[in-house]
Amino acid sequence: MSDRIDNALDCWRHRLDWRPVSGTPALSGRWAIVVPDLDDGDRFAAVLREFGAEPILVPAGDRGAMADCFRIFRELSGVVSLLALAETDGDLPPGVASTVYLMQALGDAGQSVPLWCVTRGAMATGGDPVQALLWGLGRAAVLENPHRWGGIVDLPAEFDADTARLFATALSHRGGDNRFAIDRGRLYAARTVREPGHDWVPRGTVLITGGTGALGTRVARWAAEQGAEHLVLVSRRGPAAAEAAELRKLLAGTRVTMAAADVTDEASLARLKQECGPIDAVVHTAGHDAVGPLPELRPADLLTRVVGARNLDRVFAATELDAFVLMSTLDGVQGRAGQGAAAATSAYLAALAERRRARGGRAHALAYDCRGTDDLRIFVFPDRLGQPGLAADLCDRSPDFAATYAECEQRLARYTDPRHGQDWATMVALAAMWRAHGVRPARVLGHGVGEIAAAVVGGSLTVEEGAKAVAVRSQEMVAVSLPESEVADRIARWHGRIGVLAVDGPQSVVVSGDPAAIDELTFRFRAGRITVRRLVRASSGGAEAFQRNLSAYREHGYRLIEMTGPPVPARPARSLEVG
């Protein structure tokens, strides 16, 4: 049995390998070369010109400036970005940020030509993890818009005649590869190959960042079962975390230290290391990856896991460890549309681990699938709650709910009457209360206005953007405090652009129609002191399909947490039972 398990695990483990490729460089057409400094592009322009292309140098700028520039050039055959070659020290060097803006600018300009990014030393043994971020972004770019992604080429330190020829060969390659590295006079294409497992049996003291989160908790329980004597669980709140007491019970029999530290603060980690004494292993699970397509990606979204991993590497640079494990998500390795930040993070962590091994240390970057954790929970957001007084009751019982609900109301007030978004605000606040009690979802799912709540909780929309979306949904429908007959007479002036949708009572009629006409009606009625209330537009069907989705999730082992009532006590004293 053990041998079969080991063989199965070996099938799951993979690493990046390189296969030599050959070809004849043959370019044609007009190529744009985007450079941080015009003087830097002359050498690359000469290479493209030598092998048949007509090069144009384009200076780097912000997203809008580069988009304006690319609107001028038509019939381009390709774009080469040298922006990553201008890296400097910092959390996110400007070359990476500029490349993100370049990707977005090409889309803004309507250019569908392939973009080739150039890095230097990103894939070499002990190379630069920051430049590896672009390799991850490329993995997402080719899935989201294959027509706008050519590939990426990693150059050696010396750019001689052989390197120039191989570079042009990569740009003109037609074999389906899009990830190349030039090393020792040869051109290599990236391949993913299987790799035997690496055994690590926890012992002594194991430090786990994000130690009270879903993945950190799973790692802690596994380490305790395997024989770790002391677990240092690091989180921002430390012993004050809502999960701390329950986690101690789960880890009974193992010495546990709940440590408060910010992994993005190197000095904070250094103090923690000094206070905890000898550390035998480090596992980094802290951080999250922003979700969204590349056109909406912000460069800062790439920093959530990256800065913590970098700081851990620096703090433990001179420490001999049994294991130094960096956790990322499987979405980043397999590639998935909307997961550009995760893909970039995974590439960075893999390169950081490779560099640490090149220095003689032990390090591995592991990608996990959140569906493989114990936390198979989905937050379900319905179209309507239908529970009067729920928000007021929970505001009295839970400070976490009250704070989030107040923020949602404040944002709503900028765009519409907050009463129109009460269901949305209540659902977002319910999710915040769950999270404050240590429950984090593997997925979020919404229906109708619940889609907006799910987008906010999942991180696709900010609270501000969610409030604006709720307001937009309410622009087509208003409730008028007049009898139906009088409303029918008054709306005749809009010649069919507005009609009666429903009669809620003798003095309450719902009308809907053209948004511009509704705006005019609202202005005129309110000027005449007639009460008009904007309403959130009801869901346009699909309820049966939504219920089928819920059934499918249940069949696959997910536990659905429906945001329809007070699911947890304000101050939990016992473990949570999730049905």
Side-chain angles (χ1 to χ4, degrees), residues 78-140:
V79 178
V80 175
S81 169
L82 306 182
L83 298 176
L85 302 184
E87 299 294 0
T88 58
D89 292 334
D91 286 347
L92 185 66
V96 174
S98 296
T99 304
V100 172
Y101 295 139
L102 172 58
M103 292 179 176
Q104 296 167 339
L106 288 170
D108 295 343
Q111 290 279 10
S112 295
V113 296
L115 168 65
W116 287 85
C117 292
V118 180
T119 60
R120 179 176 286 121
M123 294 294 107
T125 301
D128 183 1
V130 173
Q131 295 216 344
L133 285 167
L134 294 181
W135 284 69
L137 284 178
R139 193 176 299 139

Side-chain angles (χ1 to χ4, degrees), residues 238-563:
E243 309 90 342
E246 186 61 30
L247 193 49
R248 288 186 184 278
K249 296 178 184 178
L250 292 173
L251 299 172
T254 302
R255 181 186 169 198
V256 176
T257 298
M258 297 286 181
D262 182 356
V263 296
T264 63
D265 182 353
E266 185 177 345
S268 177
L269 284 177
R271 286 193 299 270
L272 176 63
K273 177 189 175 186
Q274 186 175 8
E275 294 169 359
C276 291
I279 302 293
D280 297 294
V282 172
V283 182
H284 179 45
T285 74
H288 69 280
D289 296 310
V291 177
L294 288 177
E296 300 174 8
L297 185 67
R298 299 171 301 175
D301 292 336
L302 305 179
L303 296 176
T304 51
R305 294 184 194 271
V306 163
V307 175
R310 181 205 64 188
N311 289 342
L312 286 168
D313 181 51
R314 291 177 178 177
V315 169
F316 290 94
T319 305
E320 185 175 347
L321 298 170
D322 295 342
F324 184 85
V325 183
L326 305 171
M327 304 292 291
S328 61
T329 64
L330 196 60
D331 287 331
V333 175
Q334 292 180 330
R336 190 163 64 120
Q339 295 289 339
T345 295
S346 296
Y348 176 92
L349 296 182
L352 182 64
E354 175 68 26
R355 187 175 69 176
R356 192 174 177 90
R357 289 196 298 270
R359 297 199 306 255
R362 295 180 179 176
H364 293 285
L366 299 180
Y368 74 96
D369 185 350
C370 66
R371 292 169 296 181
T373 72
D374 291 333
D375 226 25
L376 301 183
R377 300 187 179 101
I378 296 178
F379 283 0
V380 179
F381 302 90
D383 192 15
R384 293 185 181 278
L385 291 176
Q387 293 195 35
L390 174 62
D393 177 57
L394 289 178
C395 282
D396 293 337
R397 294 173 54 190
S398 170
D400 300 298
F401 180 94
T404 303
Y405 188 83
E407 181 185 3
C408 290
E409 278 200 315
Q410 180 184 12
R411 307 286 182 173
L412 281 167
R414 299 180 181 180
Y415 305 104
T416 185
D417 187 329
R419 291 175 299 177
H420 305 158
Q422 282 182 341
D423 284 350
W424 170 78
T426 301
M427 287 185 277
V428 174
L430 278 168
M433 188 168 70
W434 271 106
R435 283 177 160 165
H437 286 79
V439 180
R440 292 172 173 79
R443 297 287 188 269
V444 294
L445 191 66
H447 178 61
V449 74
E451 293 172 336
I452 303 176
V456 172
V457 173
S460 298
L461 296 177
T462 64
V463 175
E464 179 84 14
E465 292 165 340
K468 188 182 297 185
V470 170
V472 169
R473 288 177 64 91
S474 70
Q475 287 179 352
E476 299 176 0
M477 193 165 59
V478 294
V480 181
S481 296
L482 288 174
E484 180 184 6
S485 58
E486 189 171 349
V487 169
D489 290 337
R490 288 176 176 267
I491 65 175
R493 65 181 301 148
W494 283 282
H495 307 293
R497 295 170 62 199
I498 299 175
V500 174
L501 180 66
V503 179
D504 290 341
Q507 295 286 331
S508 181
V509 178
V510 178
V511 299
S512 66
D514 179 76
I518 290 292
D519 286 342
E520 185 180 347
L521 176 149
T522 302
F523 175 81
R524 287 181 175 273
F525 279 22
R526 286 178 176 173
R529 299 187 181 278
I530 300 172
T531 302
V532 178
R533 295 181 294 108
R534 289 191 180 275
L535 302 176
V536 176
R537 179 165 50 88
S539 170
S540 57
E544 293 182 0
F546 183 68
Q547 291 301 322
R548 287 196 297 271
N549 289 339
L550 298 186
S551 298
Y553 277 115
R554 289 189 180 97
E555 291 173 2
H556 283 81
Y558 284 89
R559 288 176 283 183
L560 306 183
I561 302 174
E562 299 192 43
M563 299 296 160

Side-chain angles (χ1 to χ4, degrees), residues 19 41 63:
R19 177 181 66 85
R63 176 175 177 173

Side-chain angles (χ1 to χ4, degrees), residues 178-199:
N178 58 26
R179 296 180 294 170
F180 297 96
I182 300 173
D183 186 38
R184 293 187 293 275
R186 299 200 68 177
L187 179 65
Y188 296 88
R191 287 289 184 274
T192 301
V193 298
R194 290 177 179 172
E195 181 180 48
H198 303 275
D199 294 330

